[in-house]
Structures are given as C-alpha cells and as structure tokens.
Amino acid sequence: MFRLWRISVCIIVMTFASHGQVMALTSDSDTVAEPKRNIVEKFLHYFQSSNKKAITSRPDFSVIGGPHYSSEKGLGLGIVVGGLYSTCPSDSLLPVSNISLVGNIATKGFYMLGLRGVHVYPDNARRINYDLSFELFSTYFWGIGYDWGNDNKNKVKYNQLKLRFTADYEWRLAPKLYVGPATNIVYIRANDLAWDVPWQGEALGHASVGVGGRIQYDTRDNLTAPNTGMLLEAIQLFYPRFTGNGIYSFSSFEIGGNFYTPIWKGGILAMRAHGLFTTGKTPWGMLPTIGGGTIRSYYEGRYRDKNEIDITVELRQHVWRRSGIVIWAGGASVFPKISEMRSKELLPDFGFGYRWEFKQNCNVRIDLGFGKHSTGFLFGLNEAF
C-alpha cells in the first residue's frame, strides 16, 4: 500500500535532533559531562543508534530525505518522517505498527504530501491499514490499452490533481486470518493538456467512491521487511452511481500473494503474484496500471487497461553490517479482457538495488529497474512488497 517516488539521483540526507550533553553521575557530589559532539559526530552517532532503540507504545520518529533528479520531475526534495511503535511492547511476537508522513516537491511541477501506516491492536486481534495522499503532478498520459501505451507518439503532457484515501478495518477470525470492510475514495482531474485524443472521449475529471471488503491471510514475521511467511489477500470494491460515481458505475477485484523463504545465511527469496480486474464503466483514472510499485521499470500510468496481472521474484541478500543488495526479475501485462491477453504484449521487468537498514526491519531502498524500452529509478522506505 505504500508509493514514493521515482528518482535518478538520490543523496540521503538525515535530519536529527541534538541530543545535548549527557551527564554521568560519579558520586553524590561530582558529575562528569561527556565531551560535546560536533556536527559530524552527532551525524554518525544518529546513524549508529537509529536501529537500536527499543520499541515502545509511542512512535519513535526519525526523519530521512534527500535531493533527487529525474527528467520527468526535475530537481526535487523528498522527505519521510517514519515512526515505529507497538500497542503492546511487552509482546515481542506482536508485529510492529508503523506510520509515515511523506513529502515530495520537484522543479517540474511535482508536489506530494501523504500519510500512511498500519495500526496493529494488542494480541494482533485487529488491524487498521490507511493511506491518505494529495498530489499535483505535471505528468504524461499515453492512452488506454497496450497499443496506446507502447506508441510514444501518443504521449501527452498534462497536470494531474489527485486526492486519495484508502482504508480498511480487519478482525481476526482465525489464526492469521483477517476480514473486514474497506473503502477507496479518489478524485482525479487532468488539466492543461495540449490535446485530449488519448483520453478517447473520457471525462477529464471524476470522483470515485468505492466500498467493499478485504480478506487477508498473513503469516509474515513482520510487516515492513519480511523474512518468512506469506500474505494472501483479496479486495472486492463496488463503485455504484448512488455513492457519487456519476456515469461511472464499476467494480474492482484485486487478488495477490506474497511469499518469503530463507534460502541460506542472509538470503531471502521473495515472490509476489498479483492481479487487478475491473468490470463495468471504469474511468481512466481508476484503470489498473503498470509501474511505480512492484514493477519498477516503467513510468507509472504509461500502460493501463481494465485488467492487469504481474509477477516478481526477488533475491534479498544481507551483505555487511546494515547493508544489503537485491536482484529481481518479473513481468506484467495489461489487457481489456482475459481472452485478449497476448504474449507479445508482456512487459518484462528486472533490476537490482541497494538496501540500508535505517531501523530494525525498516530499510532505505534504492532500485534501478530495466524494462521494455524503459528504465526506472526508485528511492523509498521498506521493501517493494
């Protein structure tokens, strides 16, 4: 559920609070002050201690960010304020909850502010997943369907306004099995476009309000950097006219499976299979797309259609201290219906990346992906899946 975040150059810059002097009592009457750290020593100490703090019931927030550059977004700055906490710190087996405030701004008209997280109740009896974001982006649209996306002559620049809120509330019905209601609310509008032919007669702006449910079977050892277990989930949402969808009445069904297996010392084999299928009159802004998430080689939104499937296999290897690397391979496809899937329209995806353990089970990731006439650079927190 979590998205920052395509970049070409990323320099990690840490913002941190001064710890001041630390006083050590040597007797009832004498105190000895540790020497003050200079700015470089404070910087190094922050990195060394950021993943050693005990998890408490109050979020332990840290700030990470840095400049970035890409031909689409220009020179920008991204910042993430991430916090980890537990609703029952004495329970070492309880998955850690997380919350992140994300901000990004770039010179070519990209502005994004988001709040996302997972709240796990004591005894793992309930969960809340949430994601709220506001985005202004000078981006591109190629059209609907593989053929439109594959032809770069269809590329149209436009300004996209997008507001999105997704959330679900889950109860544990059985060990590792969760079920509950879900909602997805999106407003999207295309402005300042040179021509509208790629929209194929679609309304340039629309609101979508969906309600439905989510079922999830989760045996992962943690939520942000799993080493073992699996996640199986299905989400069914309905967008009827009476909830404010206007002429766009449709439904979506999303299904996925993530699997994690240790294969040798420091090595984790991770796999994800996923599909998103829509029926009815699905507006262009709600069509399944490729890119920006697990499939990291493609510009997000270039390929879109009524249905999408993707699969990724990734090897994650710890290398030294807090550093690790990953390599992955996979593919994806968009299509109007199952009977019209074509092997020649498969979009391959492979690449490699670097991982740095910012906090326990919380990695900074930098990925470089290669696809069909496409490359992608991504920087963010936590794994791709």
Side-chain angles (χ1 to χ4, degrees), residues 231-286:
L231 169 65
L232 305 175
E233 64 179 351
I235 305 171
Q236 176 70 65
L237 293 173
F238 302 94
Y239 298 82
R241 292 188 179 185
F242 66 82
T243 61
N245 295 291
I247 63 172
Y248 296 103
S249 176
F250 67 103
S251 66
S252 69
F253 177 68
E254 185 171 11
I255 187 169
N258 299 357
F259 308 89
Y260 309 91
T261 304
I263 52 176
W264 53 64
K265 184 177 180 180
I268 305 297
L269 185 65
M271 186 179 78
R272 171 177 166 85
H274 170 264
L276 178 56
F277 312 93
T278 67
T279 58
K281 189 172 177 57
T282 312
W284 66 272
M286 298 297 291

Side-chain angles (χ1 to χ4, degrees), residues 36 66 83 122 148 172 177 222 275 285 320:
K36 279 188 175 182
W148 282 82
R172 186 179 65 196
L177 180 64
N222 69 83
W320 183 67

